[in-house]
């Protein structure tokens, strides 16, 4: 599974009779995700954006025709959306350029007239999509845009619909899902001219494209011998020699691939509350991400017994685009489409948890959140030195690596992945008839993480609109009552945190969104 030196990734010999052109091998970070998909351990990452537009803007064209044109132009400008993955079951998978793409495989419209007042139907749809493996991954790019056209959402003058972008995690990370919608929105607000490469639902991909480099090619990671030794010892060393605290960390049930069913809940920070919540974070020298970690810690400490869960551990995925140097791309490195992410781990030892259980207070929550913010800042300052992503190349057999996790405790209790807020529209106008397409909501969500954190909290928003938290977990790994209590706690505390900094944890709400 591990070898004595870092693994180099060179293109293996391939069948030259294949109509697909080999682009490059997957990098270690990309293999991390492709190997999970091959085993059914993680299917996809998603971002659901709610679009609105005046019906008069459609002219005499149907919605499917408009979306097909816009999506085709996005594909032509985004090489990652035009590739297959060959050899994902082995140790040397590679990307292949496909000669053509059928748009019917990637755009689906679902019409409904059911009133989805608390987004429960949307969440059930997302759960279904998150549990579907990508078919014919060698000949079909692993992504899809599913349109939920709810007649109850739209008014006489406005068309409103949810667009769910789902994709294989080897071609996109969370930030890329937001970038997809940004590119789609720009196309919808453009001239909407069908490309010459699109004929009868087939997009010809003969035009050459520059495929994005791997994470490892863009960032020069460096690894000290001490970090290398600690990391390998944590993975390979005998558990009885490792820290006693690790054995007391509660991370839900042990790793098991069955049943691999995704469950989701939704917490909403309304647009009117966002400035107050972010303002409270600034007053207490912290960030929304750090505050969410502290609130989750408080909720789980409150709802799990001390002997059952004396300690916890969480992680924060971190976008690495700001650390990319010397790469030229239209839109800058922030618009890089691919997988450019690392993660930091946070441990909440038994003494910290015990104190929070004995004397829960808003002051203690803010103290923990401020400490976490400082820790994340220190981690950022250290990148690219001694980063966990530098260790992925040491794994030579990812299938064996993942299967070895079966029956063992997972590493993290929860994960908070915050991709920030995207722009609501390409252009604004005070005149209603001049307004274009607009995005008014974003919900990022993830598949059940069979060998990952017990609970995944995905955070996304739209500037000037709300912020949404999708809580996901694998059925059976965490009791539903625990996640429901966490959902209720987060909704209640976030509703009050910006207005009652000192005692918001004692507030209560009557309703919780998305159950």
């Amino acid at each position: 599974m591990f070898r004595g030196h870092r693994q180099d990734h060179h293109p293996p010999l391939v069948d030259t009779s294949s109509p697909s052109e080999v682009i490059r091998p997957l990098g270690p970070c990309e293999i991390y995700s492709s190997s999970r998909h091959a085993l059914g351990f993680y299917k996809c990452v998603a971002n659901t954006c709610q679009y609105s537009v005046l019906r008069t803007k459609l002219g005499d064209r149907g919605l499917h025709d408009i979306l097909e044109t816009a999506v085709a132009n996005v594909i032509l400008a985004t090489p990652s959306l035009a590739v297959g993955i060959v050899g994902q079951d082995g140790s040397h998978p590679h990307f292949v350029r496909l000669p053509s793409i059928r748009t019917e495989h990637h755009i689906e419209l679902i019409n409904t007239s059911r009133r989805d007042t608390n987004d429960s139907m949307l969440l059930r749809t997302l759960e279904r999509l998150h549990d579907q493996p990508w078919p014919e991954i060698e000949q079909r790019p692993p992504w899809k845009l599913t349109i939920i056209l709810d007649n109850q959402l739209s008014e006489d003058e406005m068309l409103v619909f949810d667009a769910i972008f789902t994709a294989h995690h080897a071609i996109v990370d969370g930030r890329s899902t937001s970038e997809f919608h940004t590119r789609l929105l720009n196309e919808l607000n453009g001239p909407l001219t069908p490309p010459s490469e699109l004929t009868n639902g087939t997009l010809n991909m003969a035009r050459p494209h520059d495929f994005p480099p791997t994470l490892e090619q863009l960032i020069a990671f460096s690894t000290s011998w001490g970090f290398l030794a600690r990391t390998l010892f944590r993975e390979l060393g005998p558990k009885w020699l490792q820290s006693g605290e690790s054995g007391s960390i509660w991370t839900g049930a042990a790793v098991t691939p069955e049943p691999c069913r995704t469950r989701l809940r939704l917490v909403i920070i309304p647009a009117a509350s966002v400035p107050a919540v972010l303002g409270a974070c600034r007053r207490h020298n912290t960030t929304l991400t750090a505050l969410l970690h502290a609130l989750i810690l408080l909720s789980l400490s409150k709802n799990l017994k001390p002997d059952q869960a004396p300690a916890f551990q969480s992680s924060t995925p971190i976008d690495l685009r700001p650390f990319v140097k010397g790469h030229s791309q239209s839109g800058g490195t922030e618009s890089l489409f691919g997988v450019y992410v690392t993660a930091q781990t946070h441990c909440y030892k038994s003494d910290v948890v015990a104190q929070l259980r004995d004397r829960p207070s808003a002051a203690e929550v803010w103290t923990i959140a401020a400490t976490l913010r400082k820790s994340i800042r220190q981690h950022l300052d250290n990148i690219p030195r001694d980063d966990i992503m530098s260790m992925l190349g040491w794994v030579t057999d990812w299938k064996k690596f993942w299967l070895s996790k079966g029956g063992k405790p997972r590493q993290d209790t929860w994960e908070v992945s915050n991709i920030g807020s995207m722009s609501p529209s390409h252009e604004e106008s005070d005149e209603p008839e001049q307004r274009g397409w607009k995005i008014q909501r974003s919900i990022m969500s993830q598949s059940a993480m069979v060998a990952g954190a017990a609970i995944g909290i995905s955070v996304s928003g739209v500037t000037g609109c709300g912020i949404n938290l999708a809580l996901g977990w694998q059925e059976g790994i965490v009791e539903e009552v625990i996640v429901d209590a966490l959902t209720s706690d987060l909704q209640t505390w976030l509703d009050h945190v910006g207005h009652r900094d000192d005692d918001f944890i004692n507030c209560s709400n009557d309703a919780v969104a998305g159950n």
Side-chain angles (χ1 to χ4, degrees), residues 250-460:
W250 182 87
T251 56
V255 173
T256 176
E258 299 294 340
C260 189
R261 286 195 290 269
T262 301
R263 303 296 307 279
L264 293 171
R265 294 289 187 268
L266 183 64
V267 173
I268 299 170
I269 307 177
S273 300
V274 170
V277 172
L278 298 183
C281 290
R282 287 191 293 270
R283 286 194 299 275
H284 293 276
N285 299 312
T286 190
T287 62
L288 177 60
T289 298
L291 173 62
L292 291 176
H293 277 292
L295 294 178
I296 296 164
L297 174 62
L298 175 61
S299 178
L300 294 180
S301 299
K302 177 169 67 83
N303 294 299
L304 290 166
K305 297 178 180 178
D307 58 344
Q308 178 187 7
F312 300 98
Q313 186 159 290
S314 67
S315 64
T316 304
I318 296 172
D319 181 21
L320 287 174
R321 287 167 180 79
F323 302 93
V324 172
K325 306 295 183 184
H327 178 70
S328 175
Q329 174 172 311
S330 176
T333 57
E334 289 186 1
S335 64
L336 268 174
F337 203 97
V339 186
Y340 305 101
V341 67
T342 186
Q344 181 188 9
T345 297
H346 319 283
C347 184
Y348 312 93
K349 296 185 177 181
S350 54
D351 57 338
V352 174
V353 176
Q355 180 175 326
L356 190 60
R357 281 189 169 113
D358 292 341
R359 295 183 298 278
S361 67
E364 185 65 20
V365 169
W366 287 121
T367 297
I368 293 171
T371 301
L372 282 168
R373 185 255 185 188
K374 183 178 180 181
S375 173
I376 294 172
R377 182 69 263 170
Q378 290 172 340
H379 186 88
L380 290 171
D381 291 341
N382 200 50
I383 292 174
R385 299 183 302 276
D386 286 348
D387 190 90
I388 190 62
M389 304 310 291
S390 67
M391 297 297 300
L392 298 185
W394 288 76
V395 181
T396 60
D397 189 336
W398 278 101
K399 181 177 181 180
K400 186 176 181 180
F401 175 87
W402 292 122
L403 292 178
S404 71
K405 304 286 186 182
K408 298 177 182 177
R410 59 197 70 241
Q411 177 177 315
D412 298 323
T413 312
W414 72 86
E415 168 190 291
V416 176
S417 180
N418 185 353
I419 62 171
S421 293
M422 60 185 297
S423 174
S425 63
H426 180 61
E427 57 182 339
E428 292 288 349
S429 174
D430 294 331
E431 299 296 328
E433 64 273 10
Q434 298 298 321
R435 293 173 187 166
W437 292 76
K438 182 178 181 180
I439 289 177
Q440 55 197 35
R441 181 173 74 169
S442 169
I443 302 173
M444 184 177 75
S445 54
Q446 299 189 68
S447 297
M449 297 180 278
V450 169
I455 306 171
I457 296 87
S458 303
V459 187
S460 61

Side-chain angles (χ1 to χ4, degrees), residues 271-272 421-422 424 462-466:
S421 293
M422 60 185 297
V462 177
T463 303
C465 303

Side-chain angles (χ1 to χ4, degrees), residues 11-23 86-87 92 94-97 138-139:
L13 295 176
V14 296
D15 182 1
T16 56
S17 66
S18 171
S20 301
E21 173 192 349
V22 174
I23 300 174
V86 173
H92 301 282
H94 48 274
F95 290 117
V96 292
R97 183 177 288 111
E138 299 86 359
Q139 294 89 32

Side-chain angles (χ1 to χ4, degrees), residues 21 76 79 97 205-211:
E21 173 192 349
L76 290 171
R97 183 177 288 111
M205 297 305 300
R207 186 195 306 177
H209 292 281
D210 292 328
F211 197 73

Side-chain angles (χ1 to χ4, degrees), residues 116-315:
D116 195 17
T117 54
N118 64 349
D119 292 306
S120 60
M121 189 178 71
L122 174 62
L123 293 179
R124 301 298 85 78
T125 301
L126 282 169
E127 289 173 348
R128 175 177 59 83
L129 293 174
H130 276 302
D131 289 343
Q132 294 178 352
W134 295 104
E136 300 179 318
I137 200 170
E138 299 86 359
Q139 294 89 32
R140 190 186 299 182
W143 65 269
K144 189 173 184 180
L145 185 67
T146 303
I147 307 299
I148 308 295
L149 196 55
D150 186 346
N151 296 327
Q152 298 292 335
L153 283 177
S154 298
E155 302 172 355
D156 291 340
E157 296 183 352
M158 297 295 297
L159 175 67
V160 182
F161 59 87
D162 286 312
I164 307 171
F165 174 65
T166 49
H168 194 305
H169 212 333
I171 63 171
V172 303
D173 55 14
R175 183 59 62 87
S176 294
T177 65
S178 177
E179 177 64 20
F180 172 87
H181 282 289
T182 296
R183 297 184 184 193
L184 179 61
L185 182 64
N186 290 343
E187 289 295 335
L188 291 170
N189 279 312
L192 274 176
T193 303
S196 59
E197 293 89 344
L198 180 62
T199 305
N200 297 324
T202 297
L203 187 63
N204 188 316
M205 297 305 300
R207 186 195 306 177
H209 292 281
D210 292 328
F211 197 73
T214 68
L215 167 66
E216 295 77 14
Q217 290 172 324
L218 290 179
I219 298 180
F221 293 107
S222 61
T223 306
S224 67
W225 285 109
F227 177 79
L228 173 64
R230 289 192 301 272
T231 304
L232 293 178
F233 181 74
R234 186 172 63 245
E235 284 293 334
L236 302 176
K239 297 303 178 185
W240 62 272
L241 279 178
Q242 298 185 27
S243 170
E245 191 72 50
S246 62
S248 64
I249 294 173
W250 182 87
T251 56
V255 173
T256 176
E258 299 294 340
C260 189
R261 286 195 290 269
T262 301
R263 303 296 307 279
L264 293 171
R265 294 289 187 268
L266 183 64
V267 173
I268 299 170
I269 307 177
S273 300
V274 170
V277 172
L278 298 183
C281 290
R282 287 191 293 270
R283 286 194 299 275
H284 293 276
N285 299 312
T286 190
T287 62
L288 177 60
T289 298
L291 173 62
L292 291 176
H293 277 292
L295 294 178
I296 296 164
L297 174 62
L298 175 61
S299 178
L300 294 180
S301 299
K302 177 169 67 83
N303 294 299
L304 290 166
K305 297 178 180 178
D307 58 344
Q308 178 187 7
F312 300 98
Q313 186 159 290
S314 67
S315 64

